[in-house]
């Protein structure tokens, strides 16, 4: 079930969980638990997604067409039969980039008025 | 882990099926990795997480279903609109009917602890009747009050009407004179100022109602202390009652103090007051009644001359209404429940038909991975949305239709004319909507979803799903049965109304205008002054173009049903006036001509019948039949209030008490021959004008004439005699209209039901029909086969419908005015209409079946 709405901008701003999941799936397909661990690693443990939040987000992102379940599996030895793997869609990639752009603009605004340090 | 899995059940099943395993796996890993202390934190986090996320997931799915529903219903607008309208009809009719029934029969009156309020009047020793049978005499009231022990207190009151002057047009207001303790007994605090209390007897204090406060004083809080003129005397406003205060009836707009003089207590037959009491805590109503009956028996023993036939009529304030209203409202409730059942059946049929049409779509979705739970959920959302929309439309319908029920609210009860739309009404609407939704929205939804899967995909249009057909057939027979019940019961009521309307009222109501202008005392204490007023007004009115005759009377028949008095016939022993009373009126010349009451013998009263001439009377034929059967009454004499009168004329009988009641014999006395010191209630005050042409132009001319005669005279109750007569059957006709509308709707719905089912059958069987035709069957035979299907359905519904209608007719025989509950003509007509409806419903499907050609069927395959 694809969302009738395919305009990336209309989904912004993204809920932070959604954004993090897109980021986690940007480089490779992952199953749910791997997404949780990846998000935790990238944020130095600051954001630990709960399973409920994760799958609720995934359910909605599937609905919106940001990600899809993938049938191609990683190498046999790494596969876990029971698990479902998710892959970012081109639309999901576009939305994530749009969100990143939006965040960058906000950061620029904050810098210009001295609310954020000039350079990280 | 089992606990965690239980927690997961808070999520929707489809979500659980998709992700439950993985969530449990993640939790298991975390639990394994955590230390002892961390485990507690983990559990708390898990709990919190489920509580936050589970409703969120439900909400997500709901939003999705709502979007989907909006899309599918948007595509099936006709279906959605029909379903909503059908639901609105069922919910609306039931909400309106049951709100009114609840309002009239069950809801507490707006007094504190209202169940302890009791009304007390005199009545026949034998009991019977309802409400206030006869008013009390002050002496009997005083003795009953002194001797009874069941009450906290009892207070006397009397209905009254006063002319209010000051602030715009003078007006005539219904009012009540109440003993000071009455307000304390009722227990309702005034909205402004104070109630009447002991010590107000000689102060001219008046308490006004909220309505009068608004209409005459613009809701001005400074009204307290203001002096108004009532019947020419000065009164001071001391209090304003709240809007929900009605006493003794809905009409009363102001309250003055009831003063009883010493001589009021002298004659126990002089009964003109009523009483209201508050039962002591713990005293049951029946107990109080028994006590009062014993006391009445004692009074009868002590004062046999006046009290031999006198008992008490005691009733709860709540029960002051004709039992007919109860039957009417019950009948109405039954009828709307029939309609609810019918609309539910119709709705279920609609949904089943739609489910059948969508079977393949559902099957495809199921095959694509939508679980049964998910499909059911989607269908339920759709049903719930439809019924909710229908319920909301139903509330609007109920709110709009409640005013039409106001003539089913007894005027004798101290309540408003109609219930407002409040929480109770909305609760009723919610209840009926829920009934509709659960019973008939969910059931097809679940059923449809169960049938998905491979069966549906495998079935092409060839196999019609025999079981579902049967369910739909049963639903259609239910619809037919309900419509037959409604048709026959409303038919019976139509016959009853016809019969009542066919009763000769004794006068000719066409082209007669009536209005009231009562002369206030003490301004008009002098009979000479009163007669001058009548003369001036009548002379002026009779001179108006188009006026044929005009006269005054003490009270219009059916409006004023009382004015019962006793007469003594020379040579016969004194008859008790309670059991042998006559209805009397003081009238001016031309009254009979104006009313169209035929003069049978002798002469009309005329201007020569003045106070200084021989005292005369005109009597009704029934009066002659009672006192001088078979004799010539002209010239006979009788005594009335210590005066001897001679009968000079006989007129036709009038239904003074109303069309459906027995009336006492009537006696008409000339207005100039009113004894001195007779109370104002007997004065002629209703003006009756027979005219040719429009009454609207007449009214303003008559107003000018009355204003010229006395600028302070109010004019009220302007209406035609036809309206007065129509008031007699108003509640019957209101009920009939409602029932009639319900019956028409029922017939239409049932017809649509039959049509829908047969049309479906034809489309399902078109192949079979095509084969039959190809094998040489006559097209007319095929048409007859479809007709026969329709007739079978109809008969299956008609038989139980007729039986139930007979039972309903018996239950409401009190309303039928002598029409037999099994009246053959009505039953034949009801069944006939049901059959016609079946024919009409089967016509199009049968034609369609006849037009099936073998080729078209083969092409469709």
């Amino acid at each position: 079930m694809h969302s009738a709405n395919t305009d990336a901008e209309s989904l912004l701003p993204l809920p932070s969980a959604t954004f993090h999941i897109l980021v986690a799936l940007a480089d490779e397909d992952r199953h749910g638990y791997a997404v949780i661990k990846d998000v935790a690693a990238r944020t130095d443990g600051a954001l630990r997604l709960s399973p409920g939040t994760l799958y609720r987000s995934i359910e909605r992102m599937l609905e919106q067409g940001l990600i899809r379940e993938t049938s191609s599996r990683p190498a046999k030895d790494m596969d876990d039969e029971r698990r479902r793997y998710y892959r970012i869609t081109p639309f999901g990639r576009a939305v994530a980039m749009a969100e990143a752009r939006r965040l960058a603009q906000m950061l620029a605004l904050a810098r210009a008025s001295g609310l954020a340090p000039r350079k990280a | 882990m089992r606990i965690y899995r239980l927690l997961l059940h808070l999520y929707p099943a489809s979500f659980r099926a998709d992700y439950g395993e993985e969530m449990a796996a993640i939790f298991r890993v975390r639990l394994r990795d955590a230390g002892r202390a961390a485990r507690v934190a983990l559990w708390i986090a898990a709990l919190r997480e489920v509580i936050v996320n589970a409703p969120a997931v439900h909400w997500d799915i709901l939003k999705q279903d709502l979007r989907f529903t909006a899309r599918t219903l948007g595509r099936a607008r006709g279906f959605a609109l029909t379903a909503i309208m059908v639901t609105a009809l069922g919910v609306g009719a039931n909400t309106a009917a049951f709100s009114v029934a609840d309002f009239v029969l069950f809801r507490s009156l707006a007094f504190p602890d209202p169940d302890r309020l009791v009304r007390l009047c005199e009545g026949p020793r034998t009991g019977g009747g309802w409400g206030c049978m006869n008013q009390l005499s002050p002496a009997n009231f005083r003795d009953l009050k002194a001797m009874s022990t069941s009450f906290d207190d009892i207070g006397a009151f009397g209905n009254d009407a006063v002319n209010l002057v000051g602030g715009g047009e003078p007006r005539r207001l219904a009012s009540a004179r109440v003993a000071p303790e009455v307000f304390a007994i009722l227990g309702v605090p005034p909205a402004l100022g104070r109630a009447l209390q002991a010590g107000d007897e000689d102060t001219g204090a008046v308490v006004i109602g909220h309505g009068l406060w608004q209409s005459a004083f613009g809701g001005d809080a400074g009204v307290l202390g203001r002096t108004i003129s009532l019947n020419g005397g000065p009164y001071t406003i001391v209090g304003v009652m709240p809007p929900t205060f009605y006493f003794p009836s809905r009409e009363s707009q102001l309250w003055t103090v009831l003063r009883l003089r010493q001589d009021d207590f002298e004659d126990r037959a002089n009964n003109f007051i009523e009483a209201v009491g508050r039962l002591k805590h713990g005293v049951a109503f029946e107990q109080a009644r028994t006590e009062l009956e014993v006391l009445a028996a004692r009074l009868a023993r002590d004062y046999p001359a006046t009290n031999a036939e006198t008992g008490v009529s005691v009733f709860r304030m709540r029960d002051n209404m004709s039992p007919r209203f109860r039957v009417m409202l019950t009948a109405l409730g039954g009828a709307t429940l029939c309609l609810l059942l019918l609309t539910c059946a119709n709705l279920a049929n609609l949904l089943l038909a739609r489910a059948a049409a969508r079977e393949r779509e559902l099957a495809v979705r199921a095959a694509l991975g939508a679980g049964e739970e998910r499909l059911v959920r989607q269908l339920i959302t759709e049903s719930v949305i439809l019924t909710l929309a229908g319920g909301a439309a139903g509330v609007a319908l109920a709110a709009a239709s409640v005013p039409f029920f106001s003539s089913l609210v007894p005027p004798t009860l101290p309540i408003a004319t109609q219930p407002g739309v409040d929480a109770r009404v909305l609760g009723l609407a919610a209840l009926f909507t829920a009934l509709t939704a659960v019973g008939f929205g969910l059931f097809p939804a679940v059923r449809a979803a169960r049938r998905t899967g491979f069966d549906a995909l495998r079935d092409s249009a060839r196999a019609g799903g025999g079981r579902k057909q049967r369910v739909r057939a049963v639903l259609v027979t239910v619809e037919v049965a309900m419509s037959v019940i409604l048709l026959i019961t409303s038919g019976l009521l139509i016959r009853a109304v016809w019969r009542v309307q066919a009763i000769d009222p004794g006068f000719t109501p066409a082209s007669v205008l009536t209005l009231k202008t009562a002369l206030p005392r003490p301004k008009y204490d002098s009979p000479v002054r009163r007669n001058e007023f009548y003369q001036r007004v009548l002379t002026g009115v009779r001179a108006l173009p188009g006026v044929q005759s005009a006269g005054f009377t003490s009270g219009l028949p059916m409006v004023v049903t009382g004015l019962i008095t006793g007469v003594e016939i020379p040579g016969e022993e004194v008859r008790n006036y309670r059991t042998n009373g006559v209805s009397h009126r003081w009238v001016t010349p031309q009254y009979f001509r104006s009313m169209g009451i035929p003069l049978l013998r002798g002469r009309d009263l005329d201007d020569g019948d003045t106070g200084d001439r021989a005292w005369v009377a005109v009597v009704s034929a029934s009066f002659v039949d009672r006192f001088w059967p078979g004799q010539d009454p002209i010239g006979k004499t009788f005594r009335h209030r210590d005066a001897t009168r001679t009968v000079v004329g006989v007129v036709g009988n009038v239904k003074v008490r109303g069309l459906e009641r027995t009336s006492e014999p009537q006696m008409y006395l000339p207005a100039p021959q009113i004894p001195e010191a007779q109370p104002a209630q007997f004065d002629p005050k209703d003006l009756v004008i027979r005219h040719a042409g429009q009454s609207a132009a007449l009214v303003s001319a008559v107003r000018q004439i009355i204003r010229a005669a006395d600028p302070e005279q109010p004019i009220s109750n302007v209406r035609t005699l036809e309206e007065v007569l129509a008031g007699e059957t108003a509640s019957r006709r209101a009920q009939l209209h409602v029932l009639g509308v319900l019956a028409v709707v029922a017939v239409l719905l049932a017809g649509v039901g039959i049509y829908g089912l047969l049309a479906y059958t034809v489309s399902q069987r078109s192949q079979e029909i095509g084969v039959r035709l190809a094998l040489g069957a006559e097209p007319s035979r095929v048409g007859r086969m479809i007709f026969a299907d329709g007739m079978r359905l109809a008969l299956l519904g008609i038989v139980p419908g007729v039986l139930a209608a007979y039972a309903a007719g018996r239950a409401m025989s009190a309303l039928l005015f002598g029409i037999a509950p099994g009246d053959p003509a009505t039953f034949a007509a009801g069944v006939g209409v049901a059959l016609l409806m079946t024919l009409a419903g089967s016509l199009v499907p049968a034609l369609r079946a006849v037009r099936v050609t073998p080729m078209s069927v083969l092409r469709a395959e």
Side-chain angles (χ1 to χ4, degrees):
Chain A
M1 280 194 267
H2 246 260
S3 164
N5 201 333
T6 47
D7 182 12
E9 296 286 332
S10 74
L11 292 177
L12 305 188
L14 284 182
S16 75
T18 305
F19 186 64
H20 281 291
I21 295 169
L22 286 174
V23 169
L25 293 178
D27 49 354
E28 65 175 300
D29 300 349
R30 294 177 200 272
H31 56 69
Y33 191 43
V35 171
I36 291 180
K37 285 197 291 192
D38 186 69
V39 170
R42 281 178 206 271
T43 59
D44 294 329
L47 180 63
R48 281 174 63 96
L49 288 175
S50 68
T53 308
L54 173 79
Y55 287 112
R56 185 188 154 212
S57 303
I58 284 180
E59 174 84 356
R60 195 180 325 152
M61 290 162 74
L62 285 169
E63 167 88 355
Q64 291 168 332
L66 298 177
I67 56 174
R68 62 183 174 84
E69 245 181 88
T70 166
S71 46
S72 61
R73 297 291 177 135
K76 192 105 193 154
D77 52 325
M78 293 169 67
D79 187 21
D80 185 338
E81 279 288 326
R82 290 168 312 173
R83 293 195 163 156
R84 297 163 174 232
Y85 284 75
Y86 303 98
R87 171 176 298 170
I88 191 165
T89 62
F91 177 61
R93 209 171 280 279
V95 169
M97 282 161 72
E99 173 73 355
R101 238 185 344 264
R102 189 184 68 84
L103 292 173
Q105 281 162 4
M106 305 261 283
L107 185 60
L109 284 175
R111 280 194 180 123
S113 57
L115 287 173
R118 285 277 154 195
K119 195 77 193 153
Chain B
M1 271 323 289
R2 201 175 296 157
I3 300 175
Y4 188 76
R5 281 181 192 281
L6 275 179
L7 273 181
L8 288 181
H9 273 87
L10 290 173
Y11 287 102
S14 58
F15 187 84
R16 202 168 57 238
D18 279 350
Y19 309 110
E21 273 311 311
E22 297 193 27
M23 289 171 73
I26 293 171
F27 188 72
R28 195 179 305 119
V29 171
R30 284 189 170 173
L31 209 56
R32 193 188 56 210
D33 294 348
R36 212 163 231 293
R39 278 187 189 187
V40 179
L42 196 61
W43 272 112
I44 291 173
L47 198 64
R48 194 163 49 196
E49 201 238 316
V50 169
I51 288 171
V52 173
N53 276 313
V57 174
H58 279 286
W59 174 234
D60 284 347
I61 291 187
L62 183 62
K63 274 197 299 197
Q64 203 176 314
D65 284 349
L66 286 178
R67 269 201 307 277
F68 190 73
T69 300
R71 268 208 306 281
T72 48
L73 291 185
R75 269 199 306 262
R77 244 174 244 146
F79 160 78
L81 223 64
T82 314
I84 289 173
M85 263 162 48
V86 165
T87 313
L89 269 175
V91 172
N94 277 277
T95 305
F98 280 86
S99 306
V100 175
D102 165 62
F103 182 64
V104 171
L105 301 178
F106 302 114
R107 206 180 289 210
S108 295
L109 300 178
F111 301 98
D113 212 353
D115 294 338
R116 285 166 54 214
L117 289 175
V118 169
R119 293 267 303 268
L120 174 60
C121 284
E122 287 181 14
R125 285 285 296 282
T126 47
W130 61 271
C132 191
M133 300 292 287
N134 291 311
Q135 293 175 316
L136 287 157
S137 68
N140 283 343
F141 165 71
R142 178 195 57 203
D143 294 348
L144 288 173
K145 176 172 172 162
M147 292 190 289
S148 77
T149 58
S150 306
F151 296 91
D152 278 349
D153 200 0
I154 311 181
F157 65 89
N159 285 303
D160 200 1
V162 293
N163 294 351
L164 168 71
V165 180
E169 286 271 303
R171 29 167 144 187
R172 181 82 175 160
L173 298 173
S175 69
R177 289 173 298 141
V178 302
E181 60 268 26
V182 165
F183 276 97
I185 291 168
L186 296 175
V188 176
L192 217 63
R194 64 173 179 83
L196 296 174
Q197 58 196 32
D200 278 339
E201 283 82 350
D202 299 309
T203 57
V206 59
V207 169
I208 62 174
H210 186 267
L212 181 62
W213 182 46
Q214 292 295 329
S215 62
F217 304 101
D220 174 17
V223 80
L224 296 181
R226 194 182 299 181
T227 301
I228 55 176
S229 162
L230 300 178
N231 285 349
Y235 281 80
T236 309
I237 298 173
V238 300
V240 178
M241 294 309 285
T244 51
F245 180 80
Y246 300 101
F247 182 83
S249 70
R250 191 189 298 149
E251 279 77 31
S252 318
Q253 302 197 56
L254 57 87
W255 299 269
T256 56
V257 179
L258 172 72
R259 257 182 310 172
L260 295 174
R261 295 188 309 269
Q262 197 47 51
D263 58 345
D264 287 329
F265 290 92
E266 274 160 20
D267 181 6
R268 278 178 193 271
N270 180 15
N271 51 342
F272 59 92
I273 58 174
E274 298 173 35
V276 59
R278 188 172 274 280
L279 290 173
K280 280 184 178 151
H281 273 291
V283 174
F285 170 74
E286 294 304 330
Q287 231 173 308
R289 176 165 41 204
T290 312
E291 190 202 20
L292 287 167
E293 277 166 359
V294 170
L295 296 178
R298 191 188 300 172
L299 290 177
R301 218 172 34 244
D302 292 350
Y303 309 99
T306 50
N307 281 42
E309 312 252 355
T310 306
V312 285
S313 69
V314 194
F315 49 95
R316 290 189 186 87
M317 195 122 128
R318 190 80 193 73
D319 295 338
N320 188 22
M321 59 173 162
S322 160
R324 224 178 71 188
F325 283 96
R326 196 176 292 272
V327 186
M328 274 194 177
L329 288 166
T330 314
L332 193 64
T336 53
L337 279 181
C338 274
L339 187 77
L340 186 70
L341 202 56
L342 199 146
T343 51
C344 283
N346 208 283
L347 193 66
N349 237 332
L350 269 173
L351 290 171
L352 280 177
R354 179 167 159 78
R358 286 173 71 185
E359 211 155 68
R360 289 180 65 113
E361 172 209 329
L362 292 177
V364 168
R365 284 177 63 192
L368 290 179
E372 181 186 294
E373 178 261 357
R374 204 59 198 71
L375 286 181
V376 171
R377 218 179 140 125
Q378 167 61 42
L379 289 173
I380 287 178
T381 307
E382 192 177 301
S383 304
V384 168
I385 290 299
L386 285 175
T387 38
L388 275 184
V395 170
L397 190 69
S401 57
V402 155
F404 294 106
F405 293 68
S406 63
S407 56
L408 293 178
V409 178
T412 44
L413 273 185
I415 54 176
T417 50
Q418 62 184 62
V421 175
D422 60 5
R424 240 169 120 129
V425 173
L426 290 178
L428 272 172
L431 176 77
F432 288 119
T433 309
L435 274 178
T436 314
V438 171
F440 295 87
L442 302 195
F443 149 74
V446 174
R447 216 186 136 78
R450 289 272 144 76
R451 252 193 67 83
T452 56
F454 292 109
D455 316 0
L457 275 181
R458 213 174 29 231
D459 289 358
S460 69
R462 209 167 306 175
R467 264 197 68 194
K468 184 171 302 144
Q469 275 301 74
R470 255 200 314 284
V471 171
R472 292 192 60 194
V474 169
L475 288 171
V476 167
T477 53
V478 168
E479 292 180 32
V480 173
M482 292 299 135
S483 58
V484 166
I485 296 175
L486 286 170
L487 277 172
I488 291 178
T489 46
S490 28
L492 289 173
L493 286 172
I494 290 175
R495 299 257 306 174
V497 170
W498 282 349
R499 187 174 276 197
V500 173
Q501 279 176 340
I503 295 171
D504 178 11
F507 52 83
T508 320
S511 299
V512 178
L513 180 74
T514 74
L515 57 85
K516 184 189 286 292
T517 178
L519 297 173
R521 308 290 188 91
K523 185 174 166 187
Y524 280 95
D525 266 346
S526 144
V528 178
R529 236 185 128 179
R530 292 203 296 272
N531 282 313
E532 276 170 15
F533 175 82
Y534 299 142
Q535 278 303 332
R536 282 190 66 174
V537 172
L538 288 177
T539 311
V541 170
R542 284 168 189 162
L544 289 174
V547 170
Q548 292 160 353
S549 63
F552 274 100
T553 173
S554 326
L556 290 173
M558 301 175 181
V559 178
V560 177
T561 54
L563 298 182
I564 307 302
T565 185
V567 295
E568 295 166 29
I569 308 297
E572 295 196 29
E573 58 180 295
V574 177
R575 302 181 193 227
N576 187 300
Y577 84 96
R578 292 256 159 79
T579 51
N580 246 334
V582 298
S583 157
H584 81 304
R585 298 281 191 278
W586 303 86
V587 299
T588 66
Q590 289 198 6
Y591 169 70
F592 302 117
R593 208 182 309 161
S594 305
M595 287 292 286
I597 301 172
L599 182 69
L600 303 178
R601 313 182 66 152
R603 68 168 175 89
D604 193 353
L605 300 172
D606 59 38
D607 290 331
D609 295 317
T610 51
D612 48 3
R613 303 281 282 275
W615 283 29
V616 298
V618 169
V619 298
S620 69
S622 51
F623 189 100
V624 178
D625 289 343
R626 177 186 288 177
F627 296 109
W628 303 291
Q631 302 174 42
D632 181 3
I634 305 295
K636 297 262 187 204
T637 60
F638 62 86
R639 285 184 70 75
H640 174 248
R641 297 225 178 98
D642 303 326
T644 301
R645 290 184 184 268
T646 308
V647 175
V648 296
V650 180
V651 292
N653 297 330
V654 171
K655 289 279 184 185
V656 180
R657 288 265 185 190
L659 290 179
E660 300 183 43
R661 297 172 70 183
T662 351
S663 296
E664 289 88 351
Q666 300 103 49
M667 159 173 96
Y668 302 91
L669 311 172
Q673 296 182 351
I674 292 183
E676 294 270 352
Q678 181 167 276
Q681 68 179 111
F682 300 107
D683 288 350
K685 52 182 84 67
D686 285 319
L687 177 57
V688 185
I689 306 166
R690 181 167 291 271
H691 61 90
Q694 294 296 316
S695 58
L698 194 56
V699 174
S700 62
V702 174
R703 272 185 195 280
Q704 273 174 13
I705 290 167
I706 292 175
R707 201 171 298 145
D710 182 344
E712 290 192 343
Q713 263 311 104
I715 296 159
S716 63
N717 302 47
V718 182
R719 50 187 175 162
T720 65
L721 200 52
E722 276 169 332
E723 285 166 351
V724 172
L725 191 61
E728 274 295 287
T729 48
S731 61
R732 275 189 181 277
R733 275 179 296 125
Q735 190 204 25
L736 189 59
H737 285 161
V738 176
L739 223 57
V741 168
L742 295 187
V744 168
V745 170
V747 168
L748 288 179
L749 287 179
V752 168
I754 287 186
Y755 163 78
L757 187 64
L758 291 182
Y760 182 70
T761 310
V762 169
S763 74
Q764 296 287 293
R765 288 172 66 182
S766 57
Q767 197 182 25
E768 173 209 326
I769 294 171
V771 170
R772 279 177 187 237
L773 289 172
L775 293 179
E778 290 283 321
S780 64
R781 257 192 77 152
V782 173
R784 273 208 299 281
M785 180 179 80
I786 300 299
F787 259 129
D789 274 1
M791 281 301 161
R792 201 163 46 239
L793 286 176
L795 286 178
L796 282 176
I798 286 174
V799 171
V802 161
L803 294 177
Y806 180 68
R810 287 185 57 135
M812 57 186 213
S813 57
L815 298 178
L816 296 185
F817 201 66
I819 304 281
D823 181 54
T826 313
F827 273 68
V831 169
V833 172
L835 288 175
L836 268 180
M837 162 203 79
T838 311
L839 275 179
S842 348
L843 196 60
V844 174
L847 282 178
R848 207 175 285 162
V850 171
R851 291 217 190 94
V852 168
T853 63
M855 276 318 287
S856 66
V857 176
L858 289 178
R859 258 200 305 273
E861 279 291 300

